[in-house]
Amino acid sequence: MTATSSFEPVHKESTASVIARQLRTAIMERTLQPGAQLSETALSAQFGVSRGPLREAMQRLVQEGLLRSEPNRGLFVIELDEADISDVYVARGAVESAAATMIAKARVPAALRELREACHAMTKALELSDPAALSDADFHFHDVLVQCSGSRRLARMHQTLIVETRMCLTALEGTYQQPLELVEEHIQIVDAIEAGDVKLTVKRVEQHMDEALRRLIHAEDNDEGYI
């Protein structure tokens, strides 16, 4: 399978970082389908760049685990099976528990304010019965959680895990049947962080990941699709 997609030409910002970001987004949104082979010639023409920065960008995604390299064949977008999905959530649980622990210990008002605002956005989307907005607010909450930890390394790891999570959810194209429980789980995480209770914070993050994984694995039967 050869990948065919539309990318924005890179002009003044023709760097490997810009190319990697566009490729990452295409993988996340499944514009580049799982199993698709990447063509250097086609992508180089679409981006309007030489093969040097393109190869550097693709190598970054190989290192992130979003592309796989097959000897004598080339680079392919990864495909996720049930074991991979479970592994993603184990890793997310570790990263997000670490981030939440850092915030709970630091007790920084600005971080708590951002997390409350993220929860409010989820509540608002729920009130408006807007599944797409609820999904976006859900992802935003988890991004805020990790970013507010102040750890660049956690943020870097989380970025790849979120791309893999979106790959799964985009494939399902479903919506939750339990949105109220979803919102409450996030609020409970913030409550534990605000209380400075590290053990409870970790417990609630882990419980949320367990529930999210359960929903995702059974999503094809239950029409669920949030993280």
Side-chain angles (χ1 to χ4, degrees):
M1 184 190 305
T2 300
T4 57
S5 180
S6 298
F7 295 100
E8 301 170 13
V10 178
H11 300 297
K12 292 183 180 180
E13 291 185 282
S14 83
T15 65
S17 294
V18 174
I19 297 170
R21 184 167 63 250
Q22 289 198 41
L23 287 173
R24 199 179 289 115
T25 299
I27 292 171
M28 177 175 67
E29 297 178 348
R30 295 174 69 90
T31 305
L32 283 174
Q33 290 284 326
Q37 183 175 12
L38 274 65
S39 164
E40 281 191 14
T41 301
L43 290 174
S44 185
Q46 286 180 293
F47 282 118
V49 298
S50 65
R51 295 194 181 187
L54 175 62
R55 286 173 179 167
E56 181 182 344
M58 292 193 296
Q59 188 56 41
R60 291 188 188 187
L61 269 61
V62 170
Q63 293 171 348
E64 292 175 11
L66 297 177
L67 297 178
R68 71 175 191 277
S69 178
E70 295 189 10
N72 303 317
R73 291 196 64 202
L75 297 177
F76 298 81
V77 178
I78 63 166
E79 298 172 89
L80 302 176
D81 58 21
E82 189 170 311
D84 291 318
I85 295 170
S86 295
D87 193 42
V88 166
Y89 275 85
V90 168
R92 280 190 58 199
V95 169
E96 295 191 28
S97 290
T101 294
M102 292 173 69
I103 300 170
K105 289 180 177 179
R107 308 289 288 275
V108 179
L112 288 168
R113 183 166 59 251
E114 286 191 54
L115 288 168
R116 289 295 183 194
E117 289 173 355
C119 286
H120 177 72
M122 294 181 70
T123 301
K124 188 67 175 177
L126 177 61
E127 292 172 349
L128 295 174
S129 299
D130 189 338
L134 180 56
S135 179
D136 289 342
D138 187 356
F139 275 98
H140 178 65
F141 174 91
H142 292 277
D143 182 57
V144 168
L145 178 65
V146 178
Q147 293 294 335
C148 282
S149 73
S151 171
R152 289 179 297 173
R153 288 168 180 79
L154 288 179
R156 188 166 62 239
M157 290 186 285
H158 194 250
Q159 180 183 49
T160 300
L161 294 169
I162 286 298
V163 171
E164 292 179 311
T165 303
R166 277 196 181 273
M167 286 174 66
C168 302
L169 299 184
T170 302
L172 295 171
E173 296 181 346
T175 57
Y176 252 163
Q177 295 299 311
Q178 302 166 312
L180 179 59
E181 287 82 353
L182 169 74
V183 176
E184 289 177 346
E185 286 172 18
H186 291 76
I187 292 173
Q188 288 171 358
I189 290 171
V190 181
D191 287 343
I193 292 173
E194 187 170 27
D197 190 329
V198 172
K199 287 186 178 180
L200 182 59
T201 295
V202 171
K203 179 181 178 181
R204 286 182 173 173
V205 171
E206 290 177 346
Q207 287 176 335
H208 174 62
M209 289 300 160
D210 288 344
E211 281 299 302
L213 178 59
R214 180 191 63 77
R215 291 162 182 151
L216 183 56
I217 288 183
H218 297 292
E220 291 182 348
D221 297 326
N222 300 327
D223 296 324
E224 299 170 347
Y226 293 105
I227 67 171

